[in-house]
Amino acid sequence: MKKILILILLLLTAIVAMAYFYFSALNADKKNSDGSLYAISQHAALVLCFQNDKSITDILGDQPILQQVLGSDKYNELKSIGNMLIQSQAAVQAVDKQNIYIGLIPEKKNLTFLYVTQINSESNLTQVISELGGKINVTLEKDRYKLNLSDTLTCYLTLRENLLFLSPSSAVLNQALSRTLEKDNPFGAYIRSTSRISKNSLAEVHINFNQLPAVLKSTMPGNLSGELAVLNHMDAYTSLIYNYSAEKLLLNGSTQVNGRDSYYALYRHVPQKVTITNILPENTANYIVYTILQYGRWREELNKWLTGTSKGKTALDLTAQISEKYHLDLEQTFPRYFTNQLITFQLSTSEKLGAIALSNGEKLGQLLLDLSAEHSDDIRIFKESDLLFSFFGEPFRNFRRPYYTIVDNYLIFANYASTVQVFLNNYRNNRLLINRPNYLAAINQLPNSSSIMFYSDLDNSSRIILRNIYLPYFKHLRQESMKDFNAFIWQMSGENGKYQTNVLMTKKAPADSLSQNSLALTP
């Protein structure tokens, strides 16, 4: 899950920044255009929509933060397309009073964009092309027009019924035109039901997690395995509204988990205050924290989830087997002394750890003596595999027989004893993330209660990101789009079966930005 959100970070911020630059010159009032909505939702994992209103495009265009996210090269490229469009009054009138939809499309080791909007019935595409042809090189290729904006920038434009399609990739256009327009696809219906585009909403971002694996595979080598494997079956949608700010990138909205068999559906409860993050080392690269309202009721749902997984069936039998083997009632261990928070986190060195909050760590430690063996004075190792997975599920799947320690009513564990020792050294010397001003400045901008929250320190995560995405994307992140940002947060809070969702990226203080940029590409 951590790697998933690190990669979404790149994709999400890039598509948000597209809003103004492609259609900056098109200014009009909103008009429903369900045809273009359903067309884009059939193809894209991430969809951006914004209202074609001058008051909105002016605000977006005045935000330097968008240029920082996008990078100077792409910014100038997109601005060229915007300038091209305003050279045709017929083009401006053709999409007058329509919404603009921009979709992120995978293409081998590349990501490209598809732009769809609905044109007015009285508009004439031939006139649009004629006007553009007087300014740029326009050629007709079968069922589309090739627009040569410069020696290195080419776009393709075509019309299907009353829908206008535009993309820098002819192959993407082929793909879009080859599919039958279905007005009942679930993602399109979701966007239609959640969209609130108005003059009070600058732009919206919609994410289809069912199609996201194909997008991620274009940015990284190999298949979605390990922590990323969950994305292969993650049936969920997210809808976010972009908020104006010169100092941060902030989106608010909601997430809908469609599959009842999803592990993340277990957290659709009232959010709880997060405090377990106070123990994290200062070199924490990322973490994901979960809160539980009432463990007993939550455990019943967890057991239902476990019965639906092959490994889960074994985990359900594990507690009975261990109880018989050690003559110990396991229900008197974690179920009795766990409070309401669990976390997995990763250090800048890639070491992975987990932790749970306890009501009485000393009592639990005594009960676990028979289930564990001593490694050192402070560290022990579980004798049996999958114990933590059987009580808490997916986050602890890869901690099969970990080493652990208990300090200040927290049980902290890792797959290597040296990793636990690193944690103890940091904790005892007060080298903690909570002491870093940048971290506090970021985390204090969101509510301190949540059901699930992901955090990434963008500097501490550099080496991890480098190992998980292709080098060109990494260079773009560190040299351009992310160089002035220090944190990324994805927060979800359960409410009425859905999740209220906040996505935040915060900027570094000027001094921090200067000191870190020289190390931006250190592998």
Side-chain angles (χ1 to χ4, degrees), residues 183-375:
K183 295 189 177 182
D184 59 350
N185 73 81
F187 186 41
Y190 172 79
I191 295 176
R192 190 173 187 274
S193 66
T194 58
S195 181
R196 299 292 183 270
I197 285 293
S198 68
K199 291 185 178 180
N200 295 322
S201 173
L202 294 181
E204 294 179 349
V205 176
H206 307 275
I207 304 173
N208 182 354
F209 284 89
N210 293 292
Q211 297 184 27
L212 200 58
V215 174
L216 297 181
K217 288 177 182 178
S218 294
T219 69
M220 57 182 290
N223 297 319
L224 299 185
S225 58
E227 292 175 310
L228 292 177
V230 66
L231 256 191
N232 290 319
H233 309 286
M234 190 170 180
D235 185 6
Y237 303 140
T238 290
S239 179
L240 301 166
I241 294 174
Y242 171 67
N243 297 277
Y244 172 85
S245 175
E247 300 301 325
K248 59 190 176 186
L249 187 65
L250 177 63
L251 301 100
N252 310 108
S254 64
T255 296
Q256 174 180 300
V257 177
N258 301 314
R260 298 299 302 181
D261 58 346
S262 169
Y263 176 80
Y264 302 101
L266 302 180
Y267 293 88
R268 286 188 275 203
H269 52 66
V270 176
Q272 303 294 293
K273 184 177 181 180
V274 175
T275 56
I276 195 172
T277 52
N278 294 345
I279 68 172
L280 299 178
E282 63 181 0
N283 68 327
T284 296
N286 54 70
Y287 67 75
I288 182 166
V289 61
Y290 307 80
T291 67
I292 297 172
L293 179 60
Q294 293 181 337
Y295 179 76
R297 293 183 180 179
W298 181 87
R299 177 98 176 280
E300 294 176 2
E301 296 299 316
L302 173 68
N303 288 342
K304 293 178 183 178
W305 176 82
L306 287 170
T307 59
T309 66
S310 56
K311 186 176 179 178
K313 294 176 183 178
T314 303
L316 287 172
D317 296 332
L318 179 66
T319 54
Q321 295 170 0
I322 291 178
S323 295
E324 182 178 355
K325 181 177 180 179
Y326 294 94
H327 304 288
L328 174 67
D329 182 5
L330 285 183
E331 295 304 313
Q332 298 302 312
T333 58
F334 296 110
R336 180 174 181 179
Y337 293 107
F338 171 75
T339 56
N340 66 347
Q341 300 171 70
L342 58 140
I343 191 170
T344 58
F345 57 101
Q346 189 172 20
L347 307 183
S348 59
T349 54
S350 296
E351 295 168 289
K352 299 178 182 180
L353 302 94
I356 60 173
L358 306 170
S359 60
N360 192 323
E362 183 177 354
K363 286 285 188 181
L364 179 63
Q366 293 173 359
L367 292 170
L368 294 180
L369 288 177
D370 289 339
L371 287 173
S372 61
E374 182 178 2
H375 173 78

Side-chain angles (χ1 to χ4, degrees), residues 75 108 157 191 198 223 281-282 298 350 370 380 391 396 398-399 442 456 478 519:
Y75 172 88
K108 293 182 179 179
L157 180 150
I191 295 176
S198 68
N223 297 319
E282 63 181 0
W298 181 87
S350 296
D370 289 339
R380 300 183 67 84
F391 283 108
F396 301 157
N398 295 321
F399 296 101
S456 176
R478 300 305 297 162
L519 301 175

Side-chain angles (χ1 to χ4, degrees), residues 299-515:
R299 177 98 176 280
E300 294 176 2
E301 296 299 316
L302 173 68
N303 288 342
K304 293 178 183 178
W305 176 82
L306 287 170
T307 59
T309 66
S310 56
K311 186 176 179 178
K313 294 176 183 178
T314 303
L316 287 172
D317 296 332
L318 179 66
T319 54
Q321 295 170 0
I322 291 178
S323 295
E324 182 178 355
K325 181 177 180 179
Y326 294 94
H327 304 288
L328 174 67
D329 182 5
L330 285 183
E331 295 304 313
Q332 298 302 312
T333 58
F334 296 110
R336 180 174 181 179
Y337 293 107
F338 171 75
T339 56
N340 66 347
Q341 300 171 70
L342 58 140
I343 191 170
T344 58
F345 57 101
Q346 189 172 20
L347 307 183
S348 59
T349 54
S350 296
E351 295 168 289
K352 299 178 182 180
L353 302 94
I356 60 173
L358 306 170
S359 60
N360 192 323
E362 183 177 354
K363 286 285 188 181
L364 179 63
Q366 293 173 359
L367 292 170
L368 294 180
L369 288 177
D370 289 339
L371 287 173
S372 61
E374 182 178 2
H375 173 78
S376 65
D377 290 342
D378 299 314
I379 302 172
R380 300 183 67 84
I381 181 173
F382 285 110
K383 294 179 181 178
E384 303 292 337
S385 300
D386 297 325
L387 186 62
L388 293 168
F389 175 76
S390 67
F391 283 108
F392 300 102
E394 187 64 39
F396 301 157
R397 178 185 290 271
N398 295 321
F399 296 101
R400 299 210 62 197
R401 199 165 68 88
Y403 295 84
Y404 73 90
T405 189
I406 297 178
V407 292
D408 295 339
N409 286 333
Y410 294 102
L411 185 143
I412 301 96
F413 49 90
N415 288 326
Y416 301 97
S418 59
T419 304
V420 178
Q421 189 61 57
V422 167
F423 169 86
L424 286 172
N425 293 341
N426 280 283
Y427 187 75
R428 290 168 176 168
N429 289 284
N430 201 34
R431 296 193 294 265
L432 303 176
L433 190 64
I434 195 70
N435 295 330
R436 294 180 54 184
N438 276 342
Y439 173 72
L440 287 176
I443 210 72
N444 287 338
Q445 295 186 49
L446 295 176
N448 62 0
S449 296
S450 62
S451 301
I452 303 174
M453 185 174 73
F454 170 83
Y455 169 86
S456 176
D457 182 290
L458 298 180
D459 289 318
N460 286 346
S461 296
S462 291
R463 295 181 181 181
I464 299 171
I465 297 174
L466 175 59
R467 283 192 289 269
N468 285 282
I469 64 175
Y470 290 121
L471 186 59
Y473 291 101
F474 176 80
K475 288 183 176 179
H476 174 72
L477 277 172
R478 300 305 297 162
Q479 291 181 327
E480 293 281 357
S481 61
M482 300 298 110
K483 68 176 183 178
D484 294 323
F485 294 87
N486 69 296
F488 171 78
I489 304 173
W490 183 295
Q491 181 187 57
M492 301 198 302
S493 301
E495 183 180 34
N496 299 323
K498 296 184 179 181
Y499 298 96
Q500 293 300 311
T501 303
N502 299 310
V503 178
L504 172 69
M505 287 181 59
T506 56
K507 296 185 67 175
K508 299 174 184 176
D512 294 328
S513 181
L514 289 174
S515 64

Side-chain angles (χ1 to χ4, degrees), residues 44-60:
L46 281 84
V47 175
L48 181 137
C49 174
F50 68 97
Q51 183 184 144
N52 211 359
D53 185 277
K54 188 176 186 301
S55 62
I56 291 177
T57 55
D58 284 349
I59 292 174
L60 290 171

